[in-house]
Amino acid sequence: MIAIIGGGPAGIALAGALDRLGVAYDLFETHRLGATWRAAPPDLRVLSPWWTNVLSAREALRGDPFRKPQAGEYLAHLLRMADRLRGNLRESCKVEALNKDANGACWLDTQQGRFGPYSAAVLATGYFFAPLRPSPAPISDDSIQMLHASQISDYSQLEPFRVGPGPVVIVGRRVTAGQLLLELDKRGIACALSLRSPIEYRRHGRIAELRETAYFFWEELQARLRPGLKRPSYPVMDGGRTRELIDNAQVTLWPMIERIENGEVVFDDGRRLHASAVVLATGYHAMLDLLPASIPQDVFGTPLNRAFEVENFDNVFLLGFDNLYDHRSRYLRGIRFDAVRLARILASRATAA
């Protein structure tokens, strides 16, 4: 019996792969299945084509395979996949501790009691519920609302900022910052960007779209030719309208925030700005609180591991973390392949036992 901790794309993909191999499992989810996608604004758009992100080949043929789906559509896909699962699905069951006994078996302490023993436990806990904040964090007297992008579950939450004393200051330079900028612009809400380093943009236009489509086919081929290729991979800000707003100074650029006081944002260079709110689009870090703090991490922030198994913590595996198997492992388009790889490892161990 396997314990899967996390009911997002990684956990659901692994559960489906284990079903196909006849391996029993319990899946634990703190909230509801697909919680990350339930919490995202439903019209948030995925940056890569539908066919690269779905968890089954059959689903890839639902509609245009090259479209970039919105979060609501992808959530519906996840729930369809979850409906097919045959294991024990334990929603609203937060895992509070992961322990191992003298025989190496895994036990889970949860809000609903203790579960086990399991021959292996898989952390598929992802990133979304562990928002990353600037370091050092701005000092604030709470005179301006400051929130993380993960707290925005519907873009209508931005509407109250329309009547504020100044722009919404977005902290960040990657894809989430760009998406927020566009949503504010749609609503006629002024915004500014606070940056630590220059912005990189995705290419925009018809030729860029064709190149991007070709890239995903090339990436599939490259994964076969160079298995296990690891490299930094971060989605950059979209070009097009986003870049136009910045280049035309409709969105002003500022340095990093030092502090918030008396209704003003004070920047590193001493300048001040009256603002309606500060939104941190500063990304996320891996949710690894169930692992011992002593376990070292690699340059990508992923615990050291061999074939998904955490080093010096036998029978505990990882799925859905940055550069775990290759540079796609953190993303939807890589998770589905890693889930199959890991399921085969777990099935072979179960057979050997």
Side-chain angles (χ1 to χ4, degrees), residues 47-49 51-52 68 202 211-221 328 333:
L47 293 176
S48 47
W51 70 270
T52 67
K68 294 180 179 178
R202 289 160 58 95
R211 290 180 63 177
E212 183 180 80
T213 299
Y215 168 78
F216 288 110
F217 285 104
W218 161 243
E219 186 181 63
E220 289 282 338
L221 177 61
R328 304 180 301 170
R333 63 186 190 273

Side-chain angles (χ1 to χ4, degrees), residues 20 39 70 193-194 205 256 283:
R20 292 190 290 275
Q70 294 181 326
L193 281 179
S194 170
M256 290 300 292

Side-chain angles (χ1 to χ4, degrees), residues 334-353:
I335 284 172
R336 59 177 180 165
F337 295 110
D338 284 0
V340 172
R341 294 183 182 103
L342 178 53
R344 289 172 180 164
I345 293 170
L346 296 172
S348 66
R349 289 199 177 191
T351 301

